[in-house]
C-alpha cells in the first residue's frame, strides 16, 4: 500500500534485491495460507458468511467511512491530472464504487431487521454434554450445572459397555476424559465399549478437566466446585435419564453402535430402549430420538418419543416418518428453511452455538432451540443483539449516505 501511494505521487522505489525477494515470498506465503485456510476451515468460512447477516448494516457504514477518507487523495490526484481522460479514469471508478455502496442496502437482508412484534420466542437451551465450561463433560456434575443455570434440555453421547451397560462417553476411547492412562496405561487406545462396567465405574472422569482445560474461557471455579469436579465418574445412561425426568428436561443423544465382535453389536438399539423404557422411567415425550436406524421399530415400541432427524429432507418425507424436530449444524441455518419446516409443525434445533451473536442470529431466524456449551451465558440474553426495525435501519442508512455525500462533495469542491 505504501509503495502504491509513493508511485501515485511520482516517487521512485529503490528496492534492494532482498526486498524484492522478501516481497514475493510474503505474497506467495499469504496466497498459500489463504488457500489452505479455505480448504481446512470450511465451517469457519460458513460462520463468517453467517456473520454478515448480523454485521452487514455496520460494515456498510464502515465502508462508507473509508470512502469518505479516500475522497481527499482521489480529489487531489484528479486536480493534479492535466488531461480530462486521466481525471475520468481516477474519479470514475471511485464514484462507481460509492454509488454501489449507497445502493447496496436495497439488496441487504438480515433476519434481525424486523418489525416490532414479529420476533419469535427465545430458543430453548440444550446443554451440550451438560455444561462443559463449568464441569467435566458428560458427568453428573455437568448436567446438574446445566439445570442449575436454567437449561431446558440435556445433550449427551451413549456407548454400550461389553456387559451391556449404557453409559455416557463422546470419544471412542477413554484417553481424553478419564484417568485410564494412569490405571491401565496399556489400554488407552482400546475402544471404550470393550470395557466392562465394573472397570468403567472405577475410573476418574474429572481430573482431566483441570489438566487439559478444554476451553480457554472457562473461568474460575469455587473450591467446592473444584473438589466436586475432581471426583466425577463415568455416568450411566439410566441415571442420566432419571435426573432429566426428575427435572422435566428434554434429552437428546448420539447413540454409538459398538464395534465388530462386541456382544451388543446387533442389539444396541434394543438394549438402549430397555434402559429408557424399563430402567429409567423417563416420560417418553422428553426423549428426542435421533438415531435413524430401526426408526419404525422404535416408533412402534415407544410412540411417545419425539422423532428427530439429523439432516434436512423434504417435508413430506419427514411427516411420513413422524419426525417433529430437526437437529442441524448451525452452519446449515436458514430462516427460510426454518420457517418452511415450522409451517409443517417441525421445529429446528441448531448445534453447537456458543457465541451471543450467533445465538442472536438463530433467535431471529426462528430456531426453536439450540445446543450450547454456554447455557450460563446465553440464558442472560433478553433479546437478540443487533435487533432493529426496518424504520431504524432506513434512518441509519439514509443518514449515513446523505452525510457522506455532503462531506465528499465538500472535499471535491475544496
Amino acid at each position: 500500500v505504501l509503495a502504491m501511494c509513493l508511485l501515485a505521487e511520482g516517487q521512485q522505489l529503490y528496492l534492494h534485491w532482498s526486498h524484492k525477494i522478501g516481497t514475493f515470498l510474503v505474497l506467495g506465503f499469504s496466497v498459500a495460507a489463504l488457500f489452505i485456510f479455505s480448504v481446512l476451515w470450511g465451517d469457519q468460512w460458513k460462520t463468517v458468511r453467517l456473520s454478515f447477516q448480523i454485521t452487514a448494516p455496520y460494515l456498510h457504514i464502515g465502508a462508507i467511512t473509508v470512502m469518505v477518507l479516500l475522497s481527499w487523495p482521489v480529489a487531489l490526484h484528479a486536480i493534479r491530472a492535466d488531461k480530462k481522460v486521466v481525471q475520468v479514469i481516477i474519479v470514475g471508478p471511485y464514484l462507481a464504487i460509492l454509488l454501489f455502496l449507497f445502493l447496496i442496502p436495497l439488496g441487504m437482508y438480515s433476519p434481525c431487521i424486523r418489525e416490532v412484534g414479529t420476533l419469535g420466542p427465545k430458543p430453548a437451551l440444550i446443554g451440550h454434554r451438560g455444561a462443559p465450561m463449568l464441569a467435566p463433560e458428560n458427568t453428573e456434575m455437568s448436567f446438574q450445572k446445566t439445570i442449575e443455570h436454567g437449561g431446558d434440555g440435556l445433550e449427551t453421547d451413549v456407548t454400550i459397555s461389553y456387559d451391556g451397560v449404557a453409559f455416557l462417553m463422546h470419544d471412542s476411547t477413554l484417553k481424553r476424559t478419564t484417568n485410564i492412562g494412569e490405571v491401565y496405561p496399556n489400554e488407552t487406545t482400546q475402544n471404550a465399549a470393550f470395557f466392562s462396567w465394573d472397570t468403567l465405574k472405577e475410573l476418574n472422569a474429572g481430573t482431566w478437566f483441570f489438566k487439559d482445560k478444554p476451553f480457554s474461557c472457562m473461568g474460575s471455579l469455587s473450591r467446592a466446585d473444584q473438589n466436586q469436579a475432581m471426583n466425577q465418574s463415568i455416568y450411566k445412561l439410566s441415571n442420566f435419564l432419571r435426573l432429566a425426568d426428575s427435572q422435566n428436561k428434554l434429552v437428546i443423544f448420539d447413540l454409538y453402535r459398538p464395534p465388530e465382535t462386541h456382544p451388543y453389536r446387533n442389539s444396541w438399539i434394543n438394549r438402549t430402549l430397555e434402559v429408557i423404557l424399563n430402567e429409567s422411567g423417563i416420560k417418553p415425550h422428553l426423549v428426542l430420538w435421533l438415531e435413524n436406524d430401526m426408526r419404525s421399530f422404535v416408533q412402534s415400541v415407544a410412540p411417545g418419543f419425539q422423532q428427530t432427524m439429523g439432516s434436512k429432507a423434504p417435508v413430506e418425507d419427514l411427516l411420513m416418518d413422524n419426525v417433529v424436530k430437526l437437529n442441524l449444524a448451525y452452519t446449515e441455518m436458514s430462516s427460510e428453511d426454518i420457517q418452511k419446516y415450522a409451517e409443517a409443525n417441525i421445529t429446528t434445533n441448531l448445534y453447537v452455538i456458543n457465541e451471543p451473536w450467533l445465538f442472536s442470529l438463530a433467535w431471529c431466524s426462528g430456531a426453536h432451540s439450540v445446543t450450547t456449551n454456554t447455557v450460563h451465558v446465553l440464558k442472560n440474553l433478553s433479546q437478540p443483539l443487533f435487533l432493529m426495525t426496518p424504520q431504524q435501519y432506513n434512518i441509519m442508512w439514509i443518514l449515513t449516505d446523505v452525510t457522506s455525500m455532503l462531506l465528499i462533495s465538500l472535499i471535491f469542491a475544496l
Side-chain angles (χ1 to χ4, degrees):
V1 172
L2 177 61
M4 293 296 294
C5 292
L6 291 172
L7 289 173
E9 292 294 332
Q11 301 293 324
Q12 293 295 319
L13 298 182
Y14 297 101
L15 297 179
H16 191 266
W17 64 267
S18 61
H19 297 156
K20 298 176 182 179
I21 294 175
T23 299
F24 280 109
L25 287 176
V26 170
L27 181 61
F29 175 80
S30 300
V31 172
L34 285 174
F35 175 76
I36 292 172
F37 289 155
S38 298
V39 173
L40 298 181
W41 288 8
D43 288 342
Q44 284 77 356
W45 287 123
K46 292 179 182 177
T47 303
V48 171
R49 288 196 293 271
L50 284 175
S51 73
F52 290 154
Q53 294 186 28
I54 287 282
T55 59
Y58 307 94
L59 292 175
H60 171 248
I61 294 176
I64 293 292
T65 302
V66 170
M67 294 301 289
V68 171
L69 295 175
L70 287 175
S71 63
W72 178 259
V74 170
L76 187 62
H77 286 302
I79 292 172
R80 289 181 177 178
D82 296 330
K83 299 179 179 179
K84 290 289 184 181
V85 174
V86 177
Q87 290 179 337
V88 171
I89 293 174
I90 294 173
V91 177
Y94 174 83
L95 293 179
I97 295 173
L98 188 63
L99 180 62
F100 171 76
L101 291 176
F102 281 161
L103 299 178
I104 198 172
L106 293 174
M108 190 178 295
Y109 166 75
S110 171
C112 285
I113 299 177
R114 57 193 313 124
E115 296 288 354
V116 176
T118 62
L119 180 68
K122 182 177 180 178
L125 300 175
I126 299 176
H128 182 234
R129 306 175 203 168
M133 290 188 178
L134 305 177
E137 67 180 55
N138 279 336
T139 62
E140 181 179 9
M141 179 184 178
S142 187
F143 299 113
Q144 290 281 12
K145 285 294 182 183
T146 303
I147 294 168
E148 178 184 321
H149 286 282
D152 304 286
L154 307 172
E155 185 274 349
T156 188
D157 313 275
V158 179
T159 302
I160 298 178
S161 71
Y162 198 77
D163 50 352
V165 176
F167 65 97
L168 310 188
M169 182 61 56
H170 173 267
D171 298 2
S172 60
T173 70
L174 304 168
K175 182 178 180 180
R176 182 176 66 90
T177 58
T178 74
N179 64 336
I180 187 72
E182 300 172 8
V183 182
Y184 302 105
N186 297 326
E187 304 292 335
T188 56
T189 60
Q190 179 71 276
N191 191 291
F194 281 117
F195 291 88
S196 69
W197 176 246
D198 285 341
T199 300
L200 293 168
K201 69 181 182 181
E202 297 300 325
L203 296 175
N204 185 295
T207 53
W208 71 275
F209 184 69
F210 298 98
K211 294 177 182 177
D212 299 341
K213 295 185 177 180
F215 298 93
S216 59
C217 52
M218 285 168 47
S220 58
L221 301 180
S222 67
R223 177 61 63 182
D225 282 348
Q226 290 182 38
N227 291 334
Q228 184 181 2
M230 292 283 286
N231 291 286
Q232 292 299 295
S233 56
I234 295 176
Y235 208 29
K236 288 175 69 173
L237 174 62
S238 57
N239 292 338
F240 164 77
L241 296 173
R242 290 190 192 102
L243 174 64
D245 183 65
S246 68
Q247 300 296 322
N248 202 38
K249 302 298 182 183
L250 296 169
V251 297
I252 183 170
F253 49 81
D254 287 313
L255 178 57
Y256 298 145
R257 186 179 186 183
E260 294 182 6
T261 74
H262 192 283
Y264 289 87
R265 168 73 175 177
N266 298 317
S267 58
W268 55 307
I269 290 180
N270 304 70
R271 178 63 190 124
T272 305
L273 289 173
E274 287 178 8
V275 175
I276 298 173
L277 299 175
N278 302 328
E279 299 178 22
S280 72
I282 189 172
K283 303 175 189 66
H285 74 273
L286 294 177
V287 178
L288 306 179
W289 184 264
L290 184 58
E291 179 56 49
N292 202 42
D293 284 0
M294 298 174 61
R295 188 178 291 276
S296 298
F297 170 74
V298 172
Q299 291 186 58
S300 66
V301 298
F305 288 179
Q306 296 190 51
Q307 295 297 320
T308 305
M309 184 73 74
S311 60
K312 292 181 180 179
V315 171
E316 297 76 15
D317 294 347
L318 296 175
L319 294 177
M320 188 179 302
D321 289 332
N322 297 314
V323 171
V324 297
K325 183 180 284 291
L326 291 177
N327 185 54
L328 304 174
Y330 74 83
T331 51
E332 297 186 53
M333 188 189 312
S334 164
S335 56
E336 293 82 5
D337 286 344
I338 291 174
Q339 182 179 355
K340 176 185 68 176
Y341 290 123
E343 290 172 353
N345 293 319
I346 299 172
T347 58
T348 302
N349 179 71
L350 300 173
Y351 66 89
V352 174
I353 289 180
N354 300 323
E355 297 80 9
W357 74 264
L358 193 53
F359 177 72
S360 298
L361 184 59
W363 188 348
C364 293
S365 297
H368 179 264
S369 60
V370 302
T371 301
T372 178
N373 294 319
T374 56
V375 169
H376 59 295
V377 174
L378 301 184
K379 68 165 187 175
N380 296 321
L381 286 183
S382 58
Q383 71 171 32
L385 305 177
F386 311 107
L387 183 66
M388 68 177 77
T389 66
Q391 292 77 16
Q392 290 171 328
Y393 177 60
N394 287 337
I395 291 173
M396 183 175 72
W397 165 33
I398 293 171
L399 283 178
T400 299
D401 286 1
V402 171
T403 303
S404 62
M405 193 181 303
L406 291 175
L407 288 173
I408 293 171
S409 299
L410 180 62
I411 290 171
F412 271 85
L414 293 176

